[in-house]
């Protein structure tokens, strides 16, 4: 059996086998890799606890499979290709030989700075090659990486550093992003001054070379630590179920949680899905525009492509700098074959006009992908027509931080595509739609809550430091099923379309946010008494943030701006509310629960039927809110 599917028949065959004999199926895939010691048991699982183990007893190091394994045949092939923010700047590229050496040197530098297997290392860096190298260096020595998106605030960074009790933070000095030069190290300094007692070292990469404040007690320079190191570092043998990384993501309650992925299963699943979803062929140039601060960057910029021996491109900049043709100019310049981006970027570029993609040669594209949020029909067709030129399959890939890899997607050239549908399960994935009560809906042409009823290798194992939260969030809603938090529709032929979250999580420009998290930030403003945040349909962002806020009446005229500033400080600019309505009360049930259903309708300007409001504690407030709605 080859792992890369090449026909509908093969897909059907693989799918059938993966359900009838999941252990046999995944063992066969895992055999592609180099294992230090073979596994004893392919799978043991219990969704109640949950306790899920893949390839138990096996020992491996994922970087051996990302790097060393490719050296004999592909040592001189390009592993990472880096395009800078400035279109006239120099590109950087690393062959597999060079990448292995760079990773080993950084791994040795980490060890020299006291980092050991199991220690947590937080990254706060822009999209520079050193980020991918640093992440792999952690994996080389068994340190657990936790990458924090470099758009988060000092407070959000401090929260994540402290939850993970990180020993080291790795950062850059500054970040070239569009026309801006953003201070990065300064945010780390601010986080540390909030209080991060576990951090012993800050390792700073000189990216722009601009001056930073230096604290010689804790700060060290990347080049001074790395350049003189030995060019080989032996890989640390890891158990399949040892933690590979923690990645924080938002939920419907409380602070963001650290999703934990482990070594063996994550390796097998990201590789298998990369190979099939993008139909990668040797020599292809693959480009995913995500940031490594999110799961898409982990699985489909770093691990999946490198495990497959691919050439993976990293881009430092933004889609609209210096102009709205940048993505397409890069596709032409590097003859990109597979392009993977988010609906919010597609919509933003669509709004700039057809002439931008039409100006460039995109004939090398073989697959174009979408991820992170539902893609609306108009954006799907524009992507198809102007980027795919009508003859490149679109893979609308549905998955989550918790799933580690893509679960639902068309397979290009093999299964059909239908606008807005992520369509079919990958082999090994058993999706079901269930009712609120938890019974499985068998018929097609229906809607329900999306669950997965069998484990796949890269399923979340726990939430860092709080296993109970993992159980509650994903495994307690329905018996023996992983609950995704998404609602979905199944069409008459069985294709699935994910509609969106059914919990209090919103998706703003592909960034996942908990409404409670934004409310907590707003409530930090001294004049705020209470707030309620909901998402509403937004043309470019997918969802915008609408905040209903009760103030103490003593607030200044600038209260809206001040609230936005507080949110920027607490979380980051990505969480800033688009609309803030000051209200004198919030619609509540008699038990004091905010009726978000009503607020969502008002925010969406869909007020024809607000449902029964007579049972509210304060029905009159609805009229007031309606009148003041924006
Ligand atoms: O609601 C779904 C939406 O994004 C959520 C997961 O967000 P996150 O963990 O940040 O991971 C994003 C990148 C994998 C899901 O619960 N989502 C993701 N992809 C799609 C999607 N919704 C519809 N269609 C998609 N293709």
């Amino acid at each position: 059996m080859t792992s890369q599917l090449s026909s509908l028949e093969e897909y059907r065959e693989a799918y059938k086998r993966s359900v009838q004999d999941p252990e046999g199926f995944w063992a066969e895939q895992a055999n592609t890799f180099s294992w230090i010691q073979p596994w004893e048991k392919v799978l043991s699982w219990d969704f109640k606890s949950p306790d899920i183990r893949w390839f138990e007893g096996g020992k491996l190091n994922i970087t051996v499979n990302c790097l060393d394994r490719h050296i004999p045949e592909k040592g001189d092939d390009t592993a990472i290709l880096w395009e800078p923010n400035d279109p006239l700047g120099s590109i950087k590229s690393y062959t597999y030989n060079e990448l292995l050496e760079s990773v080993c040197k950084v791994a040795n530098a980490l060890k020299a700075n006291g980092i050991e297997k199991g220690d947590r290392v937080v990254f706060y860096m822009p999209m520079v090659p050193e980020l991918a190298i640093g992440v792999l260096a952690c994996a080389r020595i068994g340190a657990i990486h936790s990458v924090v998106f470099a758009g988060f605030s000092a407070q959000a960074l401090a929260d994540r550093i402290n939850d993970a009790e990180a020993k080291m933070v790795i950062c850059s000095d500054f970040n070239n992003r569009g026309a801006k030069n953003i201070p990065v190290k300064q945010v780390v300094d601010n986080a540390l001054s909030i209080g991060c007692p576990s951090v012993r070292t800050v390792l700073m990469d000189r990216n722009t070379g601009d001056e930073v404040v230096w604290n010689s007690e804790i700060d060290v320079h990347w080049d001074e630590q790395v350049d003189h190191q030995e060019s080989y570092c032996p890989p640390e043998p890891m158990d399949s179920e040892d933690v590979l990384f923690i990645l924080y993501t938002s939920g419907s309650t409380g602070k963001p949680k650290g999703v934990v992925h482990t070594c063996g299963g994550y390796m097998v699943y990201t590789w298998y899905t990369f190979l099939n979803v993008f139909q990668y062929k040797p020599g292809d140039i693959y480009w995913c525009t995500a940031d490594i601060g999110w799961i898409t960057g982990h699985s489909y910029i770093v691990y999946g492509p490198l495990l497959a021996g691919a050439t993976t491109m990293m881009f430092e900049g933004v889609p609209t700098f210096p102009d709205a043709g940048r993505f397409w100019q890069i596709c032409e310049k590097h003859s990109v074959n597979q392009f993977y981006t988010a609906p919010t970027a597609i919509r933003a570029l669509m709004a700039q006009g057809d002439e931008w993609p039409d100006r460039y040669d995109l004939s090398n594209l073989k697959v174009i992908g979408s991820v992170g949020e539902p893609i609306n029909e108009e954006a799907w067709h524009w992507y198809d027509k102007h980027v795919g030129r009508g003859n490149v399959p679109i893979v609308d890939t549905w998955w989550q931080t918790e799933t580690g890899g893509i679960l639902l997607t068309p397979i290009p050239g093999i299964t059909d595509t239908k606008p807005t549908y992520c369509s079919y399960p990958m082999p090994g994935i058993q999706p079901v739609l269930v009712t609120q009560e938890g019974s499985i809906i068998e018929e097609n042409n229906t809607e329900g809550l999306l669950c997965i009823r069998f484990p796949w290798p890269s399923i979340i194992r726990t939430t860092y430091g709080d296993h109970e939260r993992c159980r509650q969030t994903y495994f307690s809603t329905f018996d023996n099923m992983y609950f995704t938090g998404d609602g979905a529709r199944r069409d008459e032929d069985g294709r699935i379309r994910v509609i969106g979250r059914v919990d209090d999580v919103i998706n703003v420009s592909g960034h996942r946010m908990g409404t409670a998290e934004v409310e907590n930030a707003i409530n930090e403003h001294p004049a705020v008494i209470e707030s309620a945040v909901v998402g509403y349909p937004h043309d470019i962002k997918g969802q915008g943030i609408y905040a209903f806020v009760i103030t103490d009446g003593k607030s200044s005229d600038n209260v809206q701006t001040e609230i936005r500033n507080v949110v920027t400080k607490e979380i980051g600019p990505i969480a800033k509310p688009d609309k803030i309505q000051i209200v004198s009360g919030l619609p509540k049930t008699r038990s004091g629960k905010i009726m978000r259903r009503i607020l969502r309708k008002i925010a969406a300007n869909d007020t024809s039927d607000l449902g029964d409001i007579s049972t509210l504690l304060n029905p009159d407030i609805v009229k007031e809110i309606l009148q003041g709605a924006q």
Side-chain angles (χ1 to χ4, degrees):
M1 189 186 80
T2 61
S3 293
Q4 194 170 51
L5 304 164
S6 61
S7 68
L8 187 57
E9 221 183 344
E10 278 181 23
Y11 164 72
R12 288 193 175 133
E13 202 42 51
Y15 189 78
K16 200 164 112 199
R17 167 118 198 266
S18 76
V19 173
Q20 288 172 350
D21 175 20
E23 298 194 27
F25 177 81
W26 287 115
E28 216 163 283
Q29 304 307 332
N31 266 325
T32 306
F33 292 108
S34 154
W35 292 78
I36 297 166
Q37 182 181 298
W39 58 86
E40 282 151 20
K41 196 163 178 355
V42 179
L43 170 66
S44 54
W45 66 289
D46 156 26
F47 273 178
K48 275 209 160 43
S49 308
D51 182 4
I52 305 155
R53 300 176 205 192
W54 281 94
F55 310 112
E56 207 177 348
K59 282 197 185 292
L60 73 151
N61 185 290
I62 195 168
T63 69
V64 169
N65 288 303
C66 286
L67 302 170
D68 311 56
R69 188 170 65 101
H70 302 309
I71 297 300
E73 279 181 29
K74 294 177 185 249
D76 294 325
D77 290 2
T78 304
I80 293 180
L81 183 61
W82 180 79
E83 168 75 19
N85 178 60
D86 175 357
L88 302 174
S90 321
I91 61 169
K92 283 187 195 164
S93 78
Y94 292 77
T95 64
Y96 275 91
N97 279 322
E98 290 163 345
L99 187 59
L100 174 61
E101 185 178 328
S102 302
V103 167
C104 283
K105 284 187 157 189
V106 177
N108 285 327
L110 294 179
K111 285 207 267 190
N113 279 281
I115 300 297
E116 294 171 2
K117 179 176 176 178
D119 285 344
R120 277 78 57 210
V121 175
V122 161
F123 287 81
Y124 189 76
M125 274 177 120
M127 285 290 286
V128 289
E130 287 75 11
L131 173 54
I133 292 167
V135 156
L136 292 164
C138 284
R140 187 76 172 179
I141 63 169
I144 298 168
H145 57 78
S146 183
V147 184
V148 177
F149 173 62
F152 278 116
S153 69
Q155 181 64 54
L157 173 61
D159 291 344
R160 287 157 177 75
I161 292 172
N162 288 334
D163 189 79
E165 296 180 285
K167 222 176 180 181
M168 180 187 267
V169 178
I170 305 187
C171 69
S172 302
D173 48 7
F174 283 78
N175 172 11
N176 285 317
R177 204 170 153 75
K180 299 186 198 147
N181 189 17
I182 301 167
V184 175
K185 164 80 163 49
Q186 193 190 315
V187 180
V188 175
D189 292 347
N190 293 346
L192 263 50
S193 66
I194 292 169
C196 298
S198 57
V199 175
R200 302 211 192 131
T201 317
V202 174
L203 176 64
M204 189 197 78
D205 172 48
R206 277 196 192 98
N207 182 31
T208 63
D210 292 294
E211 210 166 311
V212 294
V213 175
W214 199 251
N215 175 0
S216 49
E217 272 174 30
I218 197 163
D219 297 338
V220 293
H221 275 297
W222 176 287
D223 33 12
E224 283 160 18
Q225 298 297 315
V226 171
D227 291 355
H228 66 278
Q229 296 289 345
E230 292 277 341
S231 54
Y232 184 73
C233 170
E236 180 71 29
M238 303 291 283
D239 285 341
S240 289
E241 285 299 333
D242 277 343
V243 177
L244 175 63
F245 66 85
I246 306 169
L247 187 58
Y248 286 85
T249 191
S250 297
S252 48
T253 53
K255 293 217 175 227
K257 47 187 177 272
V259 171
V260 171
H261 285 291
T262 56
C263 297
Y266 179 83
M267 171 176 80
V268 174
Y269 195 75
T270 52
W271 160 80
Y272 182 79
T273 46
F274 172 77
L275 210 56
N276 283 298
V277 176
F278 299 102
Q279 287 290 307
Y280 187 88
K281 299 281 187 291
D284 284 350
I285 308 289
Y286 163 86
W287 179 26
C288 166
T289 70
D291 191 289
I292 294 177
W294 311 113
I295 190 69
T296 307
H298 282 62
S299 302
Y300 299 109
I301 295 178
V302 181
Y303 287 111
L306 295 178
L307 287 162
T311 299
T312 178
M313 192 156 78
M314 282 177 77
F315 173 44
E316 185 185 30
V318 294
T320 47
F321 178 82
D323 59 44
R326 187 70 194 275
F327 271 6
W328 323 123
Q329 179 256 336
I330 296 175
C331 284
E332 177 182 291
K333 176 176 171 188
H334 294 287
S335 306
V336 170
N337 301 108
Q338 290 90 3
F339 176 73
Y340 192 29
T341 196
T344 191
I346 298 169
R347 287 189 297 263
L349 295 176
M350 180 170 80
Q352 301 288 319
D354 303 346
E355 63 274 23
W356 293 106
D358 291 356
R359 204 178 281 178
Y360 294 94
D361 176 5
L362 302 178
S363 60
N364 285 299
L365 289 174
K366 296 192 282 189
V367 178
I368 53 179
S370 169
V371 59
E373 47 177 321
I375 178 164
N376 51 310
E377 197 139 357
E378 196 192 352
W380 195 97
H381 284 297
W382 186 84
Y383 198 30
D384 177 45
K385 184 168 172 208
H386 293 281
V387 181
R389 309 274 152 91
N391 60 14
V392 176
I394 294 181
V395 288
D396 175 359
T397 62
W398 173 87
W399 57 298
Q400 309 176 298
T401 307
E402 297 86 341
T403 70
I406 296 165
L407 300 198
L408 303 175
T409 177
I411 299 190
I414 293 178
T415 61
D416 56 29
T417 62
K418 177 175 172 179
T420 78
Y421 279 75
C422 52
S423 299
Y424 304 107
M426 285 301 292
I429 306 305
Q430 300 186 33
V432 285
L433 297 187
V434 303
T435 62
Q436 296 280 358
E437 292 70 40
S439 41
I440 293 180
I441 307 169
E442 299 289 352
E443 62 271 17
N444 281 344
N445 215 349
T446 180
E447 281 182 15
L449 303 171
L450 180 61
C451 294
I452 319 288
R453 66 171 157 193
F454 195 85
W456 62 99
S458 62
I459 187 174
I460 179 174
R461 299 300 198 272
T462 188
T463 42
Y464 192 73
D466 191 352
H467 193 63
E468 172 58 15
R469 190 161 176 206
C470 173
R471 188 192 68 78
Q472 280 231 345
T473 314
Y474 310 104
F475 299 96
S476 72
T477 318
F478 304 112
D479 275 351
N480 265 321
M481 284 192 262
Y482 166 82
F483 176 43
T484 64
D486 279 331
R489 154 162 200 84
R490 192 163 53 217
D491 76 1
E492 51 293 348
D493 304 313
R495 294 181 202 88
I496 294 175
R497 167 189 193 168
V498 173
I499 302 163
R501 304 289 306 195
V502 295
D503 51 10
D504 289 322
V505 169
I506 51 179
N507 196 323
V508 182
S509 300
H511 300 319
R512 180 170 155 183
M513 247 168 277
T515 53
E517 213 183 324
V518 183
E519 287 162 9
N520 289 343
I522 293 174
N523 298 348
E524 288 292 312
H525 187 288
V528 171
I529 293 175
E530 197 178 5
S531 62
V533 164
V534 295
Y536 70 96
H538 187 288
D539 282 351
I540 305 284
K541 298 179 173 183
Q543 283 189 296
I545 303 179
Y546 196 128
F548 299 88
V549 180
I550 308 175
T551 62
D552 61 9
K554 292 182 222 132
S555 52
S556 70
D557 296 345
N558 271 338
V559 70
Q560 262 113 336
T561 311
E562 288 169 17
I563 289 174
R564 288 195 175 93
N565 291 343
V566 171
V567 174
T568 302
K569 179 169 160 275
E570 292 292 314
I571 306 175
I574 54 176
K576 253 193 311 196
D578 299 273
K579 295 183 179 178
I580 300 175
Q581 183 180 348
I582 307 295
V583 294
S584 69
L586 293 165
K588 290 191 176 169
T589 62
R590 288 184 193 280
S591 58
K593 207 169 158 258
I594 298 172
M595 289 291 278
R596 287 167 193 282
R597 181 178 53 77
I598 293 173
L599 296 177
R600 268 188 226 114
K601 287 208 157 203
I602 295 175
N605 198 15
D606 169 21
T607 51
S608 52
D609 175 20
L610 289 178
D612 182 13
I613 57 170
S614 63
T615 56
L616 290 179
L617 193 63
N618 50 351
D620 292 345
I621 199 68
V622 176
K623 208 165 137 203
E624 180 207 302
I625 297 178
L626 269 171
Q627 274 167 359
Q630 297 168 20

